[in-house]
Amino acid sequence: MRVVYYSVDQDHARWIPGLQAALPQAEVSLWAPGAPPADYAVVWKPPQQLLDEQPGLKALFNTGAGVDALLQLRLPAGLPVIRLDDAGMSVQMAEYVCHAVIRHFREFDGYEADMAHGKWSFRKPRSRLDYPVGILGLGVLGERVARSVAQFDFPVNGWSRSPKTLPGVQSFAGADQLDAFLAASRIVVCLLPLTPDTRDLLNAQRLARIRPGGYVINVARGAHVVDADLLAALDSGHLAGATLDVFRTEPLPAGHPFWQHPRITVTPHTSARTLRSESIAQIAGKIGALQRGEPVAGKVDPSRGY
Ligand code: NAP
Ligand code: GLV
């Protein structure tokens, strides 16, 4: 069995020995143009040439949860595409989002600013009931985030394509219930996959539906948010702030207004990193299962885009 690895991040020096150790029966190598035919490819943002030159792949493993970049390519019809299925990401996402929610709710940003001036000044306690948290996307990551936020007794709403039953989470489903979801939420967390249906979802009209004094946390993809509309909603006072981990162009270009905005917190696409050991163990386990003809979790449906 032959496995090829390719990542735009050029991190093969660690991945290939890891995959080789987890798959001793396989020959694991870095993909390069002209590489011999492989059974499986493990990739992050590969070039079209890899797919064109490897028509005999049995499956394509994506070393991330989001497959938006992969689905831009021409994929052989019927090729199974398998995304990372948590692999240590959901706990990181829960940490990040709970931190951002609590930092805003408890006004830690204000205390940080006070500290710079040696100022001792309590803020009045806020009521959690005034800060319902809405999670857009209740999949592998969104569900874990919703459960974690609910543990801090915030009211939690969730929006997905299909209705969900999750303890402590009010479920909203489908395009028809998006407005009601936004109107019921003050802190809105985006954990959707980027698809034609979800691109530009947080535009001026939708941001206006969030409760006044709202707060946006985008940890999915930059193109879910219309940058100029977010800035306008902040500058009008409708939104109180935003924490953004993902951007239309990454790295976020120097001079982009998000960098200097006093009510935006920027982090460098780090809310849930791919953890190499966990990911290799998961992918190797799935290659073994596929070889034995067993089903695997995390298969992408290209017609849905996730
Ligand atoms: P997932 O398991 O595929 O879950 C996607 C969720 O979105 C599902 O609940 C799905 O609804 C819902 N959804 C999709 N399209 C929808 C639509 N048109 N209307 C309403 N709901 C819709 O994905 P995941 O593993 O949780 O990951 C989510 C995204 O996070 C990834 O695609 C990736 O872009 C991003 N991500 C970012 C980072 C980072 O570091 N910033 C790290 C990992 C992932 P159903 O449940 O009804 O199908
Ligand atoms: C990271 O953004 C991922 O999709 O895993």
Side-chain angles (χ1 to χ4, degrees):
M1 173 173 59
R2 193 185 292 274
V3 177
V4 285
Y5 178 82
Y6 173 88
S7 166
V8 73
D9 294 337
Q10 298 282 316
D11 53 4
H12 51 273
R14 289 174 189 272
W15 274 81
I16 289 177
L19 282 165
Q20 187 63 79
L23 293 164
Q25 73 286 18
E27 189 183 319
V28 184
S29 58
L30 176 64
W31 177 83
D39 300 286
Y40 299 98
V42 179
V43 298
W44 182 244
K45 298 186 179 172
Q48 180 66 48
Q49 191 179 2
L50 186 154
L51 294 158
D52 292 344
E53 287 188 7
Q54 295 286 339
L57 290 175
K58 295 180 191 160
L60 184 62
F61 286 89
N62 185 54
T63 63
V67 289
D68 44 299
L70 209 47
L71 297 186
Q72 300 301 310
L73 302 175
R74 283 185 313 280
L75 299 172
L79 174 67
V81 174
I82 299 159
R83 45 150 298 175
L84 278 187
D85 190 12
D86 195 334
M89 282 189 181
S90 72
V91 66
Q92 297 178 69
M93 203 51 104
E95 283 165 356
Y96 183 103
V97 172
C98 287
H99 170 86
V101 167
I102 292 166
R103 177 171 179 260
H104 174 60
F105 174 69
R106 293 294 304 266
E107 302 184 76
F108 286 125
D109 44 355
Y111 292 121
E112 279 159 24
D114 289 353
M115 208 178 141
H117 301 101
K119 186 172 162 194
W120 181 275
S121 166
F122 299 111
R123 271 126 180 115
K124 208 167 147 243
R126 292 169 161 177
S127 165
R128 280 168 170 67
L129 294 179
D130 294 334
Y131 286 82
V133 180
I135 318 286
L136 291 160
L138 286 177
V140 174
L141 303 181
E143 178 183 337
R144 174 79 180 249
V145 166
R147 281 195 282 120
S148 303
V149 171
Q151 286 208 324
F152 289 101
D153 294 347
F154 289 98
V156 178
N157 304 311
W159 186 66
S160 44
R161 286 207 326 170
S162 48
K164 308 283 178 203
T165 308
L166 291 173
V169 179
Q170 186 176 353
S171 168
F172 295 79
D176 291 352
Q177 293 187 11
L178 178 56
D179 282 354
F181 162 89
L182 293 169
S185 305
R186 190 156 186 199
I187 300 180
V188 171
V189 179
C190 183
L191 264 169
L192 291 164
L194 185 62
T195 69
D197 289 338
T198 65
R199 181 176 288 274
D200 299 329
L201 187 100
L202 291 175
N203 59 17
Q205 188 203 350
R206 305 258 174 51
L207 293 170
R209 304 233 179 249
I210 299 173
R211 286 198 184 177
Y215 195 91
V216 169
I217 300 171
N218 187 15
V219 278
R221 288 291 183 263
H224 288 121
V225 174
V226 178
D227 293 4
D229 293 359
L230 177 68
L231 289 165
L234 288 165
D235 294 343
S236 74
H238 176 65
L239 293 183
T243 291
L244 307 174
D245 185 49
V246 286
F247 306 92
R248 285 178 180 258
T249 305
E250 294 182 359
L252 183 63
H256 191 289
F258 288 169
W259 278 120
Q260 297 300 331
H261 198 287
R263 283 180 288 129
I264 292 181
T265 298
V266 166
T267 57
H269 199 140
T270 195
S271 48
R273 303 293 299 267
T274 292
L275 302 178
R276 196 173 54 253
S277 306
E278 284 88 335
S279 306
I280 287 174
Q282 184 175 101
I283 291 168
K286 288 184 182 181
I287 289 177
L290 290 175
Q291 286 292 95
R292 294 189 297 275
E294 296 167 6
V296 295
K299 262 195 182 174
V300 171
D301 176 349
S303 68
R304 290 190 319 184
Y306 67 102

